[in-house]
């Protein structure tokens, strides 16, 4: 099946791309090695939500990979140009080490900046979602944990495990059995009034919405624990929800035979984040 | 620094690409997620060495990722067209899940085929190499182990650990401390006349030259063990060498304070592979 692009606007290194299907170098290291980082952001009422947090994480990711981070002011300006004719959308920003020669080693390349604007998915709001367990596991590597790099085969394989559209997300364990995240979002549970989320010391992505939720909880005097989390703690939790920057907080209401209500702390955080 | 391409010839989905710098879709899943596999092959005297083994591994990699593998006859024909005006070179072949929309899930996309021809590196032959230890570790994930997928950030970070050109390779451990490979090659040791190579059950790539060396050893009545290997076994080994499809067998002669000679089994395998 030939894919029909839904891209509304695209830019490569700050220049508008009219033909996004024929734009990129075949020597792009983002293609050859997944050698870069990305952000997925929500354009809402003409502004990108949490743009500061997104650009901060992008810069941290570049630094972890020893990619010279583009100036945040430059990226802001390019994103403003990309989105100027739109009120709502999903903005994807990719920064790679650049287009370079064969071989893993890089040699002072110019990083590539790619910006794409997509329409908002029609199923972006939910009152509560059904999730499943994924069999694909996340590998543990502290050096790559937390940042949103382009090596995402584990998430691709996990999302391709199911095709039932009534299931909105899959929950992922790492190779040691720790509970880490949803395929495209972070995970929180509430037990005895305490909010718990995985500490992501060996795998997973430190989400922008995760950070916002933790900050909201702290303002609301809710105790937050970032620590190793295990599947049985989720099954016996009072409330469970996922977070990401596109879809916000989504309460989990069903997993296998287990059912939850949208609980009071989830509702409080939904109202205050 | 602007990168100056050394590409001799390029093809995208079998069509000659005259401008490899502006060819690929920004929605290419190889870029967005590292969602694909690749091969790096040696063109020598007008033919690609071990092309059958390379295409077999590529097909196995596609199947592991649930990418519909392109027909091997089609790939052979496209590689013949790519290389027809050249006697020697390095051929890189990439197959991705295709260009598709935003999000980890794919929907019956047409896989992308990318073929690039590069000149042979000037330092392609060696009598013996000096190596070092890398601090970057390989994550363990049996689901992705063995295949040559495009998620290669660990190798990129490892090769960027040193810039001393007298050091030809870096040796990599996994996160549990097992010895796995060189950054761009497999690893063999000889102890008491037995050839040992890591079994790659949790990480690393099952190299085409690794397979050739194992087959040569078996023909020569040398006992071969594929098993977990640990750094102290390497340090006390009689002979050590790396293998890859571009550079063949390379004897390791120095690592930290340790020195080795090119031993008899390495020499025998060099002559017979």
């Amino acid at each position: 099946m030939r894919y029909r692009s839904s891209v509304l606007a695209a830019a490569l290194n700050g220049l508008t791309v009219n033909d996004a299907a024929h734009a990129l170098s075949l020597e792009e290291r983002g293609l050859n090695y997944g050698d870069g980082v990305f952000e997925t952001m929500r354009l809402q009422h003409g502004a990108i939500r949490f743009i500061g947090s997104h650009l901060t994480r992008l810069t941290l990711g570049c630094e972890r990979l020893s990619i010279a981070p583009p100036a945040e002011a430059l990226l802001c300006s390019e994103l403003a140009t990309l989105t100027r004719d739109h009120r709502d959308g999903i903005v994807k920003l990719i920064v790679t080490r650049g287009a370079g020669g064969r071989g893993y080693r890089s040699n002072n390349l110019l990083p590539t900046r790619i910006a794409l604007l997509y329409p908002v998915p029609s199923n972006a709001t939910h009152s509560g979602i059904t999730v499943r367990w994924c069999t694909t596991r996340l590998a543990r590597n502290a050096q790559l944990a937390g940042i949103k790099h382009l090596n995402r085969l584990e998430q691709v394989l996990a999302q391709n495990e199911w095709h039932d559209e009534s299931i909105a997300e899959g929950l992922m364990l790492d190779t040691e059995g720790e509970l880490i995240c949803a395929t495209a979002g972070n995970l929180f549970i509430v037990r005895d009034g305490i909010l718990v989320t995985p500490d992501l010391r060996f795998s997973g992505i430190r989400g922008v919405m995760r950070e916002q939720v933790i900050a909201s909880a702290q303002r609301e005097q809710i105790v937050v624990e970032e620590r190793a989390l295990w599947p049985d703690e989720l099954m016996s939790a009072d409330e469970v929800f996922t977070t990401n920057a596109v879809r916000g907080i989504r309460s989990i209401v069903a997993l296998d035979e287990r059912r939850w209500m949208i609980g009071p702390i989830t509702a409080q955080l939904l109202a205050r984040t």
Side-chain angles (χ1 to χ4, degrees), chain A:
Chain A
M1 185 174 75
R2 182 68 67 180
Y3 164 71
R4 296 176 68 88
S5 175
S6 61
V7 168
L8 302 172
L12 179 59
N13 297 323
L15 299 174
T16 299
V17 172
N18 294 315
D19 181 7
H22 301 92
L24 203 68
S25 172
L26 298 180
E27 296 193 274
E28 172 54 57
R29 291 179 62 92
L31 166 73
N32 281 271
Y33 309 117
D35 192 4
V37 292
F38 71 108
E39 293 293 325
T40 306
M41 302 172 276
R42 181 75 164 89
L43 177 71
Q44 199 169 38
H45 313 308
I48 293 173
R49 284 196 84 188
F50 310 125
I51 187 168
S53 297
H54 282 290
L55 296 182
T56 297
R57 180 176 60 177
L58 186 85
T59 297
L60 286 172
C62 285
E63 287 169 351
R64 187 94 70 85
L65 302 182
S66 300
I67 293 171
E72 294 188 12
L74 174 71
L75 293 172
C76 268
S77 155
E78 292 178 358
L79 292 174
T81 303
L82 179 83
T83 59
R84 74 185 151 194
D85 297 328
H86 298 269
R87 299 280 297 159
D88 290 281
I90 309 296
V91 178
K92 182 157 186 179
L93 175 63
I94 302 173
V95 173
T96 80
R97 201 181 304 274
R102 206 186 60 74
Y104 295 123
R105 183 169 290 159
S106 61
N107 287 301
N108 300 313
L109 303 172
L110 282 177
T112 303
R113 310 182 299 283
I114 297 166
L116 296 164
L117 177 62
Y118 287 92
V120 178
S122 56
N123 56 348
T125 55
H126 284 275
S127 52
I129 61 172
T130 297
V131 304
R132 73 194 299 278
W133 293 108
C134 292
T135 57
T136 302
R137 297 292 183 103
L138 294 161
R140 292 160 71 106
N141 190 341
Q143 201 175 347
L144 292 174
I147 64 172
K148 202 170 170 88
H149 58 68
L150 293 171
N151 279 199
R152 291 293 157 210
L153 267 174
E154 291 165 334
Q155 284 78 8
V156 168
L157 295 177
Q159 277 205 2
N160 281 326
E161 285 184 32
W162 81 95
H163 297 279
D164 174 354
E165 294 201 359
S166 70
I167 294 171
E169 256 294 10
L171 304 186
M172 299 188 74
L173 312 181
D174 73 10
T175 50
E176 301 297 315
E178 276 190 43
L179 181 55
I180 306 300
C181 56
T183 62
N186 290 111
L187 193 66
F188 288 82
I189 70 167
V190 179
R191 277 167 69 99
D192 305 324
I194 294 171
L195 189 64
V196 187
T197 193
D199 56 14
L200 309 179
R201 67 204 187 289
F202 291 128
S203 65
I205 299 169
R206 302 182 80 82
V208 162
M209 187 58 69
R210 173 183 184 274
E211 177 188 294
Q212 297 294 330
V213 165
I214 291 171
S216 292
Q218 288 167 340
R219 281 193 305 271
E220 301 283 314
Q221 314 288 323
I222 299 165
V223 176
V224 183
E225 291 179 5
E226 295 182 59
R227 60 168 172 81
L229 189 67
W230 300 88
D232 61 333
E233 296 181 275
L234 177 129
M235 295 312 274
S236 61
D238 305 314
E239 308 177 31
V240 188
F241 62 88
T242 67
T243 59
N244 82 18
V246 169
R247 297 170 192 272
I249 293 171
R250 293 197 292 176
S251 187
I252 293 174
V253 294
L255 168 61
D256 294 339
E257 304 307 306
R258 181 76 163 90
R259 298 290 176 274
W260 290 270
M261 307 291 286
I262 299 179
I265 289 182
T266 306
Q268 185 180 0
L269 291 167
L270 264 166
R272 303 300 170 88
T273 303

